[in-house]
Amino acid sequence: MYFIGSSIIKDTEIAPLSSQRTTGEDGEVYEMLRVEKGKPLFIADHLARFRASIASAGMELPAIFDKLPSTIEWLILCNGMIDNDLRLCLSRDGLFQAGFVKSNYPTDEQYKNGIACKLLNAQREQPTAKIYHAEMRTKAMQQERINSIFEVLLVDNDSYITEGSRSNVFFVKGDTLFDVPSDRILHGIIRDKVLHICSQLNIKVISEAVHKEHIADYDACFVTSTPMRILPVAMVEKCKFDVHNQILTKLMTALNQEIANQIK
């Protein structure tokens, strides 16, 4: 994976793009932020998770860590990036880099009509830390390419759906939202926002993973991530879901409003 633009952060300073080292190596600790209208969304949340992932991996914080908020603002100005993804990464040998990467956002049509997902038997070794697993990501990308889909859902060794290959997943049944238990997944920033919105809107949440043989019992399904926000799922394998579900629609509206307020 390569950075784009004109400048990156390398070790402790802004550096030219030409000095980058390829990212995406196995075991790399990373974080993805979305820059929208020139503003990095939920930066404090992302840096807190980045810190936690580094600690879980038994690595040391990069020397620039405490200066990252202001350095990222400068990097945005240097590159003139208004709407793009920003990747922070710490390699196993301690090299810290940050820069813009090619974005792949859902289309308006996908937000309206939902996406199709396939299942992939895969389980992260350290699910609560954002660590790059090259083999798993390669398998997911192959599934996405072969089936012309936007995301795959991971199934653990007990046949429970845990998360997307680059997202968290929720199911809806009646007036209740089903969220995978926190100790089995990466704590997504947008996932946390969704749970907070549920508490504000008095939407009932049950912490319970869904078995792959029981997905037809649910009314709606959606995935969340910083780049995707809340993205409706229209179909998992051959099981169809309601992309206009009332709870799903309420959550999408509330999250979009929160993001709009932050950008202001």
Side-chain angles (χ1 to χ4, degrees):
M1 183 179 297
Y2 291 94
F3 295 118
I4 60 175
S6 60
S7 305
I8 62 170
I9 302 171
K10 188 170 184 180
D11 286 329
T12 60
E13 59 186 8
I14 300 288
L17 184 68
S18 58
S19 67
Q20 69 176 302
R21 192 172 86 184
T22 306
T23 70
E25 62 185 45
D26 205 42
E28 175 183 274
V29 178
Y30 73 104
E31 189 66 34
M32 294 289 289
L33 290 80
R34 180 165 177 172
V35 174
E36 189 162 332
K37 296 185 178 179
K39 184 176 181 62
L41 301 179
F42 309 119
I43 186 169
D45 300 290
H46 282 286
L47 292 181
R49 186 174 65 176
F50 191 42
R51 178 192 287 271
S53 294
I54 291 170
S56 295
M59 300 167 68
E60 294 185 2
L61 287 174
I64 198 175
F65 187 85
D66 290 336
K67 296 181 180 178
L68 276 177
S70 58
T71 309
I72 286 172
E73 288 186 9
W74 183 239
L75 185 69
I76 293 170
L77 291 173
C78 288
N79 284 276
M81 293 292 186
I82 302 299
D83 297 286
N84 216 302
D85 284 341
L86 177 66
R87 182 184 178 96
L88 315 179
C89 47
L90 184 63
S91 64
R92 298 302 301 181
D93 63 4
L95 175 65
F96 173 74
Q97 296 183 108
F100 290 96
V101 294
K102 187 176 180 180
S103 304
N104 182 24
Y105 298 140
T107 63
D108 291 341
E109 182 179 351
Q110 288 171 322
Y111 281 117
K112 179 181 178 181
N113 299 321
I115 60 169
C117 294
K118 293 288 186 179
L119 300 178
L120 175 67
N121 293 321
Q123 188 168 318
R124 301 182 196 272
E125 293 180 8
Q126 289 180 270
T128 58
K130 200 168 180 67
I131 299 174
Y132 194 77
H133 300 283
E135 183 180 358
M136 188 193 72
R137 185 63 199 134
T138 298
K139 289 180 179 179
M141 291 174 67
Q142 288 173 344
Q143 278 265 38
E144 291 166 8
R145 184 173 60 254
I146 291 171
N147 296 288
S148 298
I149 56 176
F150 194 79
E151 175 67 306
V152 299
L153 302 182
L154 307 184
V155 178
D156 68 13
N157 298 332
D158 297 317
S159 297
Y160 285 93
I161 299 171
T162 54
E163 56 191 332
S165 68
R166 50 200 169 97
S167 64
N168 291 116
V169 61
F170 292 86
F171 287 86
V172 179
K173 181 192 290 188
D175 62 353
T176 303
L177 187 70
F178 289 80
D179 170 46
V180 181
S182 296
D183 61 344
R184 303 176 69 172
I185 56 171
L186 180 70
H187 298 183
I189 304 303
I190 301 300
R191 170 186 175 267
D192 290 345
K193 301 301 177 187
V194 166
L195 295 177
H196 179 66
I197 292 170
C198 284
S199 67
Q200 292 179 318
L201 299 180
N202 294 317
I203 295 173
K204 183 180 179 181
V205 178
I206 292 180
S207 180
E208 181 178 287
V210 172
H211 195 280
K212 71 175 185 178
E213 299 298 332
H214 298 157
I215 57 177
D217 296 340
Y218 295 83
D219 304 320
C221 175
F222 61 90
V223 292
T224 65
S225 73
T226 297
M228 299 178 198
R229 297 189 179 184
I230 295 175
L231 182 59
V233 173
M235 181 181 295
V236 176
E237 297 293 341
K238 295 181 180 180
C239 183
K240 295 182 179 180
F241 296 100
D242 177 13
V243 298
H244 303 296
N245 176 269
Q246 186 177 24
I247 288 179
L248 170 56
T249 301
K250 283 183 179 180
L251 292 172
M252 291 179 72
T253 300
L255 178 66
N256 288 339
Q257 185 59 57
E258 182 171 346
I259 291 173
N261 292 339
Q262 185 178 125
I263 292 173
K264 285 182 181 178

